[in-house]
Amino acid sequence: MSVNLASFLYLVSGVLFIMALRGLSHPTTSRQGNTYGMVGMGIAILTTLALARPTLGGFFLILLGLAIGGGAGALIARRIAMTSMPQLVAAFHSLVGLAAVMVAAAAMYAPGSFGIGLVGAIHGQALVEMSLGVAIGAITFTGSVIAFLKLDGRMSGKPILLPMRHVVNAALGALLVLLIILLVGTQSYAVFWLIVLVSLALGVLLIIPIGGADMPVVVSMLNSYSGWAAAALGFTLGNLALIITGALVGSSGAILSYIMCKGMNRSFISVILGGFGGETAAAVDDGIERTVKQGSADDAAYLMANASKVIIVPGYGMAVAQAQHALRELADRLKANGVEVKYAIHPVAGRMPGHMNVLLAEANVPYDEVFELEDINSEFAQADVAYVIGANDVTNPSARDDKSSPIYGMPILDVDKAKTCLFVKRSLGSGYAGIDNTLFYKDGTMMLLGDAKKMTEDIVKAMDH
Amino acid sequence: MSVNLASFLYLVSGVLFIMALRGLSHPTTSRQGNTYGMVGMGIAILTTLALARPTLGGFFLILLGLAIGGGAGALIARRIAMTSMPQLVAAFHSLVGLAAVMVAAAAMYAPGSFGIGLVGAIHGQALVEMSLGVAIGAITFTGSVIAFLKLDGRMSGKPILLPMRHVVNAALGALLVLLIILLVGTQSYAVFWLIVLVSLALGVLLIIPIGGADMPVVVSMLNSYSGWAAAALGFTLGNLALIITGALVGSSGAILSYIMCKGMNRSFISVILGGFGGETAAAVDDGIERTVKQGSADDAAYLMANASKVIIVPGYGMAVAQAQHALRELADRLKANGVEVKYAIHPVAGRMPGHMNVLLAEANVPYDEVFELEDINSEFAQADVAYVIGANDVTNPSARDDKSSPIYGMPILDVDKAKTCLFVKRSLGSGYAGIDNTLFYKDGTMMLLGDAKKMTEDIVKAMDH
Amino acid sequence: MENNSVETALDQLDRAVANLRLTLDNADSVADAVHVASGGVVDPFVFRLAIFVLAIFVGYYVVWSVTPALHTPLMAVTNAISSVIVVGALLAVGISASGLATGFGFIALVLAAVNIFGGFLVTQRMLAMYKKKER
Amino acid sequence: MENNSVETALDQLDRAVANLRLTLDNADSVADAVHVASGGVVDPFVFRLAIFVLAIFVGYYVVWSVTPALHTPLMAVTNAISSVIVVGALLAVGISASGLATGFGFIALVLAAVNIFGGFLVTQRMLAMYKKKER
Ligand SMILES: NC(=O)c1ccc[n+]([C@@H]2O[C@H](COP(=O)([O-])OP(=O)(O)OC[C@H]3O[C@@H](n4cnc5c(N)ncnc54)[C@H](OP(=O)(O)O)[C@@H]3O)[C@@H](O)[C@H]2O)c1
Ligand SMILES: NC(=O)c1ccc[n+]([C@@H]2O[C@H](COP(=O)([O-])OP(=O)(O)OC[C@H]3O[C@@H](n4cnc5c(N)ncnc54)[C@H](OP(=O)(O)O)[C@@H]3O)[C@@H](O)[C@H]2O)c1
């Protein structure tokens, strides 16, 4: 295959990837978008095969690799629970990072195959691009592994704050730059692997001080990193598909991080510097005696059955309890009784962007009943019941009213404007931000203490009576 | 200057042009955007000078050309009336088209200066790109001249429907293709100029059958064309700034044409095939006697002074009458009386996209009092008075209610929902689409027949009493 | 003898030339091989096409994000930036030897300059008119 | 005499070589000149940079246009497409002579394949769940 044709085909696959992301602008076009993505990947792979013209042995090896990896990937995709998506994405990012390192290593040991020179005489520019790729890739790898472990609960979410960590990290960063310069000068394998080692260490050190709950931002950031690593290697290999894709993925991760930080009203820097959200802060104790109105499933069933409009506000607790299916049943029951039911989603409800939407979709909730904050917030005033299930921070009025609150300025869902606010959670404890929620003590609020799934099922049962 | 640096700088100027368009996403950033555009142009010019390293004589000639053209351009920009913007844009497009033809001619006679080969031995690919550029440029030139003449009223807006025009146009198109092939084979100057001639003729023939009122769509289409011509020459010259800019301008014109056609609920093809909107159709005469309530300036002054909310709907007639300043005075007077005043702009009010906005801005109407159709349409129900000044089609309820109407499906401003609808126009005649407006005969409507500016001034005077 | 030696010399010459050719050929093919893999010999046309395609995407998004109230300035500013065709005119006037080409270039230069100054300045004039309500 | 003729021959050889050099040099510089003006010798890096910059713009706009309800699938699909790094792995496995490079390439290939299949399939599974209200 001529390189011109190959380059053109790589361009085509880059454009198909753009169309894949473009498809996600609406659920109806999203499936087609995903297909574009698969076709784009197919074109990239076939083009490379036609260009490399592998030997029979090589070809067999390639098929073997694709079969092993593809089989494992397909299995994981089929088996994974929707509630584990945050972990899964983190795990997948770590693989991309490691793959980038391995590709760079292969290029280091067989530069001829990549057309970047001969062993010991690799072009300087290629070496710089490659080291950038390998460093970012390695950081992505270990960083994502830590994020995975924290999200999956295999490692405590508590931030691990090493002494002098900023100094250590800066020193490692400087060392990295030095090593890259050294690599361009010496082309030594040892230096190459030193770069890998230092970057792996840096990846760990950068992520361990960040609290488990901040991991979603980290995952997005690492997503962005994996894009930049791919783009850097794209420059080395002179591959248009890699360059375009890298830029797309890089932008995507950066924008999602930005959206999350804005939704939490925190700065990206403060997230990255870490030390937040590991433990729930001690409950505020300002000496004022506060009373809480507690209710039962029966109370809730009565209130909702007699309502004309119910808005459901799901949060992280719904994901923990896997309550989405029970919730859907409840909504069906209400709708059958002629109650108008809508879902209100806060941009950072749950633990990853779009987390609630995917869970509701899994429970067959139609997406046109699910509304974003700005589209539904004015409707709470007309609602009889706001059914808050496992959400907490995203409803906290202190973000709106109390200037001294650490989450002041974060947009919230105005559930307190509804006639009655039903709060399903297990305790009066705080949520991710560790801040007491004054809503619990308000007149219009009824606390339904218990597991979200159990409580919702009980309400449905209570309606049967 | 090294070609690498030059290419990089051309890329920078392309990015600055992107930033220029990006700035137009909001009035507050738009001025900065325009500055980016100027800087980008400056970089492109300086880079080219550094690359070409002209002789002293050449340098003098360049300064002279820039001074003549720049002086004329600056003068026009200072003098032109805002109401003549459609004509001006058409005139400017014709210049871009002619400039493209001239650049291609220069490349034909001195290919060496452009690095595309030697006289009589120009690279085939460059010839193809060049002929595309020159053909599109020439069509843009004469097409824009006709559009200018029609818009400026120097030529009748009546569509000129030659017999067999589709056949003739198709034949000319085929001839063009043949000539381009011939040019690649022979590299003959005669063929080159034949291409120019045929394209010039085609430009005229394509535009004369299109009615004067459809010219805005044509102007946008020609804008798009001028972009594609620039991009084609960008390929010839291997110039990144030209390629990027061409694509930007090409997209922009195409999108604006699309927006206009959608706003009119007509297909682009039907516009381009022509024969529409030249003359106003005969008024519908269905035998039903219809009565019209006519009012005076005094009536209008009384109604508006006692209103609590007035929505102003400007249309093409306001531009014709240059009534924007008088209108602003009226609004000021009303606001001083405690009346809430808003402006409602239909996407295709007037004769070019954003036409009304620019005129209102000229009369110092703040842009946050000016609303788009979808943002204000629901407010007419709460308004006491809709003051329709020189608008007609964009308020015609038959577009909403009458399936047999030729403009059925076009979105309209629901002025009939307001308590009273004041209609300022000179007669009961129809507007651009040539369709009778049933609103004139409705109970809540009061016709204020007269010139828009005069009538508005009279209303202001009447308020003084 | 002389004849002989000349012949030898010519022979040597031939061989030297042949060797030279071989070396050159080799160098070429090595360079080619390197290029093929690295994409170094990719025709710049492909790169330009990629840039063109991506710029169309950018244009699409950036123009849709323009607020309708500024569509008239948009038309004026796109007109101004499309006059970047002036770079062709500058090359023609600045480098060309042929009088005709210089003439064409000069015309193009003047026309483009009208557009550049006219387009940007009229846009500036328009944009200066868009004001917020003063409160 | 022999010496003389050899010397002559050598001289000739020298001159021939010199001539050859001259011609070659000339050809080179002509080619260079043509390239400079046409941009033919523009370093592909510049083109790639342009493509990279424009792709960032496209990415910016295309991602902002993704509806928030699909942000989770977006994360999965970007993960899948970033595995296009597999092209590097394929080159390493397909062409490489060195055993080590083939090994590294094979690992990269397997990892990327997990991502490609896993990423696209899990996205498909998620997207299949998004349904409209049936009426
Ligand atoms: N979505 C994102 O992308 C993202 C990213 C980073 C950070 N965040 C942060 O995450 C938070 C999300 O807000 P949120 O309101 O969804 O969650 P939240 O504020 O973290 O509150 C979740 C609540 O669910 C309750 N809960 C836990 N398990 C439960 C179960 N099995 N049954 C019933 N309730 C249960 C917990 O209360 P009990 O312990 O009393 O049951 C907890 O208060 C925000 O602060 C946001 O800034 C989000
Ligand atoms: N904006 C665009 O981009 C664009 C592009 C292409 C086509 N169009 C078309 O243009 C039309 C625009 O709608 P429109 O409502 O703004 O205009 P219109 O329907 O064309 O009506 C304009 C009205 O203004 C009146 N008028 C003219 N001169 C006047 C004066 N001096 N004083 C008072 N009234 C005067 C005319 O009535 P009298 O003769 O009775 O006075 C006429 O009925 C639409 O049909 C649209 O599809 C717009």
Side-chain angles (χ1 to χ4, degrees):
Chain A
M1 181 181 282
S2 95
V3 267
N4 285 330
L5 180 57
S7 290
F8 176 75
L9 288 174
Y10 284 133
L11 170 63
V12 169
S13 89
V15 169
L16 283 167
F17 291 152
I18 294 174
M19 306 293 286
L21 299 194
R22 191 171 151 60
L24 292 174
S25 59
H26 197 273
T28 46
T29 53
S30 60
R31 275 161 286 235
Q32 196 186 12
N34 200 39
T35 311
Y36 284 140
M38 294 191 229
V39 173
M41 188 61 76
I43 291 179
I45 291 178
L46 291 180
T47 304
T48 312
L49 286 181
L51 203 61
R53 268 183 260 130
T55 57
L56 204 68
F59 193 70
F60 171 74
L61 215 55
I62 287 171
L63 279 189
L64 184 72
L66 283 177
I68 296 177
L75 205 73
I76 296 172
R78 189 118 28 91
R79 293 276 172 83
I80 193 85
M82 278 302 139
T83 35
S84 314
M85 281 314 294
Q87 295 91 298
L88 182 72
V89 171
F92 275 175
H93 286 163
S94 74
L95 301 186
V96 178
L98 188 55
V101 173
M102 287 294 125
V103 168
M108 194 68 199
Y109 281 80
S113 328
F114 297 86
I116 52 171
L118 303 167
V119 177
I122 303 177
H123 308 314
Q125 187 185 322
L127 274 178
V128 174
E129 293 159 355
M130 224 166 79
S131 346
L132 280 179
V134 79
I136 307 177
I139 292 175
T140 309
F141 172 50
T142 46
S144 298
V145 167
I146 301 287
F148 167 77
L149 293 176
K150 289 200 177 194
L151 282 169
D152 208 36
R154 303 189 191 204
M155 180 175 160
S156 150
K158 228 168 92 173
I160 300 174
L161 300 172
L162 298 182
M164 309 238 298
R165 60 205 161 89
H166 297 315
V167 177
V168 172
N169 290 347
L172 282 180
L175 180 59
L176 212 47
V177 174
L178 274 181
L179 283 174
I180 291 177
I181 295 172
L182 205 64
L183 181 68
V184 175
T186 64
Q187 314 233 351
S188 130
Y189 289 143
V191 175
F192 175 83
W193 290 113
L194 260 177
I195 291 179
V196 173
L197 267 184
V198 171
S199 307
L200 289 175
L202 200 55
V204 174
L205 291 175
L206 282 174
I207 308 304
I208 52 166
I210 304 180
D214 269 339
M215 279 306 124
V217 183
V218 169
V219 169
S220 247
M221 179 190 83
L222 292 170
N223 188 1
S224 181
Y225 282 8
S226 74
W228 305 129
L233 287 176
F235 274 88
T236 315
L237 307 183
N239 186 303
L240 294 191
L242 258 174
I243 294 178
I244 295 175
T245 313
L248 289 179
V249 176
S251 314
S252 161
I255 290 173
L256 285 184
S257 304
Y258 170 82
I259 289 176
M260 276 188 267
C261 289
K262 225 189 90 187
M264 300 192 289
N265 198 33
R266 291 180 57 202
S267 82
F268 182 69
I269 299 294
S270 88
V271 170
I272 292 312
L273 291 186
F276 185 90
E279 276 177 301
T280 49
V284 196
D285 190 3
D286 46 12
I288 305 171
E289 188 67 33
R290 286 187 277 205
T291 54
V292 165
K293 186 160 71 186
Q294 212 182 315
S296 69
D298 289 316
D299 300 334
Y302 177 79
L303 273 170
M304 288 209 262
N306 291 303
S308 69
K309 179 170 190 167
V310 171
I311 301 181
I312 297 175
V313 178
Y316 177 59
M318 179 186 82
V320 176
Q322 298 249 33
Q324 63 269 29
H325 299 279
L327 186 64
R328 158 86 211 235
E329 247 180 82
L330 175 62
D332 280 350
R333 181 66 58 99
L334 289 172
K335 280 194 273 181
N337 284 357
V339 182
E340 183 188 355
V341 180
K342 288 184 174 180
Y343 297 80
I345 309 286
H346 189 280
V348 293
R351 286 292 181 271
M352 73 189 299
H355 195 180
M356 295 297 113
N357 304 78
V358 111
L359 295 182
L360 291 179
E362 188 196 9
N364 274 319
V365 174
Y367 60 77
D368 38 3
E369 285 178 9
V370 181
F371 296 87
E372 287 166 46
L373 181 135
E374 51 280 26
D375 297 328
I376 201 168
N377 226 358
S378 58
E379 289 188 32
F380 280 104
Q382 286 103 51
D384 300 296
V385 174
Y387 186 69
V388 182
I389 172 167
N392 186 346
D393 295 343
V394 300
T395 65
N396 195 334
S398 60
R400 192 183 53 203
D401 309 323
D402 175 8
K403 288 211 172 160
S404 68
S405 166
I407 56 169
Y408 180 74
M410 160 172 160
I412 60 155
L413 288 163
D414 296 329
V415 292
D416 50 342
K417 302 255 165 88
K419 220 175 276 163
T420 312
C421 182
L422 298 177
F423 246 101
V424 186
K425 62 201 297 285
R426 297 163 309 180
S427 69
L428 293 182
S430 56
Y432 158 82
I435 299 168
D436 209 24
N437 192 340
T438 52
L439 213 55
F440 300 166
Y441 316 108
K442 272 214 166 177
D443 266 358
T445 303
M446 180 186 280
M447 300 301 298
L448 303 169
L449 298 186
D451 178 75
K453 186 173 176 191
K454 176 104 192 5
M455 179 60 74
T456 307
E457 285 168 351
D458 286 350
I459 297 176
V460 174
K461 268 188 223 133
M463 284 190 179
D464 286 338
H465 303 317
Chain B
M1 182 181 281
S2 95
V3 269
N4 285 331
L5 181 56
S7 291
F8 176 74
L9 289 174
Y10 284 134
L11 169 63
V12 170
S13 89
V15 168
L16 283 168
F17 292 152
I18 295 174
M19 305 294 286
L21 299 193
R22 191 171 150 60
L24 292 174
S25 60
H26 198 273
T28 47
T29 53
S30 60
R31 273 161 285 231
Q32 195 185 15
N34 200 39
T35 310
Y36 283 141
M38 294 192 229
V39 173
M41 188 60 76
I43 291 179
I45 291 178
L46 291 180
T47 304
T48 313
L49 287 181
L51 203 61
R53 267 183 260 133
T55 57
L56 203 68
F59 193 70
F60 172 74
L61 215 55
I62 288 171
L63 279 188
L64 185 70
L66 284 177
I68 296 177
L75 205 72
I76 296 172
R78 191 119 27 93
R79 293 279 173 81
I80 194 85
M82 279 301 137
T83 35
S84 313
M85 281 314 294
Q87 295 91 298
L88 182 72
V89 171
F92 275 173
H93 286 161
S94 74
L95 300 187
V96 178
L98 188 55
V101 173
M102 287 295 124
V103 168
M108 194 68 198
Y109 282 81
S113 328
F114 297 86
I116 53 173
L118 302 168
V119 177
I122 303 177
H123 308 313
Q125 186 184 322
L127 274 177
V128 173
E129 293 159 355
M130 224 165 78
S131 352
L132 281 179
V134 80
I136 306 176
I139 292 175
T140 309
F141 172 50
T142 46
S144 299
V145 168
I146 302 285
F148 167 76
L149 292 176
K150 290 199 179 194
L151 281 169
D152 208 37
R154 303 188 193 207
M155 181 176 161
S156 149
K158 228 169 93 173
I160 300 173
L161 301 171
L162 299 181
M164 310 237 297
R165 60 205 160 90
H166 298 316
V167 179
V168 172
N169 289 346
L172 283 181
L175 181 58
L176 213 47
V177 174
L178 274 181
L179 285 174
I180 291 177
I181 296 171
L182 207 63
L183 181 68
V184 176
T186 64
Q187 316 231 348
S188 129
Y189 289 144
V191 175
F192 176 83
W193 291 111
L194 260 178
I195 292 180
V196 174
L197 268 184
V198 171
S199 307
L200 289 174
L202 200 54
V204 174
L205 291 175
L206 282 174
I207 307 304
I208 51 166
I210 304 179
D214 267 341
M215 280 305 123
V217 183
V218 169
V219 169
S220 248
M221 180 191 83
L222 292 171
N223 187 5
S224 180
Y225 282 8
S226 74
W228 305 129
L233 289 176
F235 274 87
T236 316
L237 307 184
N239 185 302
L240 295 191
L242 259 174
I243 296 177
I244 295 175
T245 313
L248 289 179
V249 177
S251 315
S252 159
I255 290 173
L256 285 184
S257 306
Y258 171 82
I259 289 176
M260 276 188 265
C261 290
K262 226 188 88 190
M264 300 191 290
N265 199 33
R266 291 178 57 201
S267 82
F268 183 69
I269 299 294
S270 89
V271 171
I272 291 312
L273 290 185
F276 184 89
E279 277 176 303
T280 48
V284 197
D285 189 4
D286 46 10
I288 305 171
E289 190 67 33
R290 285 187 277 203
T291 54
V292 165
K293 186 161 69 186
Q294 211 182 315
S296 68
D298 290 316
D299 300 336
Y302 177 80
L303 274 168
M304 288 210 261
N306 291 303
S308 68
K309 180 171 188 165
V310 172
I311 300 182
I312 297 174
V313 177
Y316 177 58
M318 179 185 81
V320 175
Q322 299 250 34
Q324 62 270 29
H325 299 279
L327 187 63
R328 159 85 212 240
E329 246 179 83
L330 175 61
D332 279 350
R333 183 65 59 99
L334 289 172
K335 280 193 274 181
N337 284 358
V339 182
E340 182 187 355
V341 180
K342 288 184 172 179
Y343 297 81
I345 309 286
H346 189 279
V348 292
R351 286 293 180 273
M352 74 188 299
H355 196 179
M356 296 296 113
N357 304 78
V358 124
L359 294 182
L360 291 179
E362 189 197 6
N364 274 319
V365 174
Y367 60 77
D368 38 2
E369 284 178 8
V370 181
F371 295 87
E372 286 166 47
L373 181 136
E374 48 283 19
D375 297 327
I376 201 168
N377 226 359
S378 57
E379 290 188 31
F380 280 104
Q382 286 104 50
D384 301 293
V385 174
Y387 185 69
V388 181
I389 170 167
N392 187 347
D393 295 344
V394 299
T395 65
N396 195 335
S398 61
R400 191 182 53 204
D401 310 324
D402 174 8
K403 288 213 173 158
S404 68
S405 166
I407 58 169
Y408 179 74
M410 161 174 158
I412 60 154
L413 288 163
D414 295 331
V415 292
D416 51 342
K417 303 252 166 88
K419 222 174 275 163
T420 311
C421 184
L422 298 177
F423 245 101
V424 186
K425 61 201 298 283
R426 296 162 310 180
S427 70
L428 293 180
S430 57
Y432 158 83
I435 298 165
D436 208 24
N437 193 340
T438 52
L439 213 56
F440 301 165
Y441 316 109
K442 271 212 166 178
D443 266 357
T445 303
M446 180 187 281
M447 301 300 296
L448 304 169
L449 297 186
D451 177 75
K453 186 173 175 192
K454 176 102 195 0
M455 180 59 76
T456 307
E457 286 168 350
D458 287 350
I459 297 176
V460 173
K461 268 188 223 136
M463 283 190 179
D464 286 338
H465 303 315
Chain C
M1 197 60 159
E2 204 174 311
N3 217 345
N4 207 341
S5 69
V6 170
E7 245 161 52
T8 321
L10 274 175
D11 258 348
Q12 283 175 326
L13 198 66
D14 267 351
R15 244 174 299 144
V17 168
N19 265 331
L20 217 65
R21 283 232 176 86
L22 211 69
T23 327
L24 283 170
D25 277 7
N26 258 346
D28 269 10
S29 67
V30 164
D32 269 5
V34 166
H35 274 151
V36 166
S38 74
V41 286
V42 175
D43 190 323
F45 176 77
V46 177
F47 287 123
R48 296 195 184 115
L49 186 70
I51 289 168
F52 181 62
V53 170
L54 290 173
I56 290 179
F57 271 102
V58 175
Y60 174 87
Y61 281 107
V62 93
V63 172
W64 270 115
S65 75
V66 171
T67 167
L70 294 178
H71 275 162
T72 300
L74 171 68
M75 291 178 84
V77 92
T78 51
N79 178 69
I81 67 174
S82 68
S83 324
V84 70
I85 189 114
V86 74
V87 300
L90 290 175
L91 285 181
V93 178
I95 314 189
S96 289
S98 135
L100 264 176
T102 310
F104 294 138
F106 188 73
I107 299 177
L109 178 61
V110 173
L111 297 176
V114 172
N115 262 309
I116 294 174
F117 284 79
F120 281 122
L121 290 179
V122 86
T123 310
Q124 200 172 43
R125 210 182 117 198
M126 275 192 268
L127 293 178
M129 301 185 318
Y130 284 80
K131 285 188 206 81
K132 240 187 136 91
K133 204 157 24 197
E134 35 334 274
R135 287 167 218 272
Chain D
M1 201 56 157
E2 205 174 307
N3 214 342
N4 207 340
S5 67
V6 169
E7 242 161 53
T8 318
L10 273 176
D11 258 348
Q12 282 175 328
L13 197 67
D14 267 349
R15 243 174 297 142
V17 169
N19 266 332
L20 217 66
R21 283 229 177 87
L22 212 66
T23 326
L24 284 169
D25 276 7
N26 259 345
D28 269 11
S29 67
V30 164
D32 269 6
V34 165
H35 274 151
V36 166
S38 73
V41 284
V42 176
D43 190 323
F45 176 77
V46 177
F47 288 122
R48 294 193 186 116
L49 186 69
I51 290 168
F52 181 62
V53 170
L54 290 173
I56 290 179
F57 271 102
V58 174
Y60 174 87
Y61 281 108
V62 94
V63 171
W64 271 115
S65 77
V66 171
T67 167
L70 294 178
H71 275 162
T72 299
L74 172 66
M75 291 179 84
V77 93
T78 51
N79 177 67
I81 66 174
S82 68
S83 325
V84 70
I85 190 112
V86 73
V87 299
L90 291 175
L91 286 181
V93 178
I95 313 188
S96 289
S98 134
L100 263 175
T102 310
F104 294 137
F106 187 73
I107 299 176
L109 178 61
V110 173
L111 296 176
V114 172
N115 262 309
I116 294 174
F117 283 78
F120 280 122
L121 291 179
V122 86
T123 309
Q124 199 171 44
R125 210 182 118 199
M126 275 193 268
L127 292 178
M129 301 184 320
Y130 284 79
K131 283 188 209 82
K132 240 187 135 87
K133 203 155 29 193
E134 46 316 282
R135 285 165 218 275

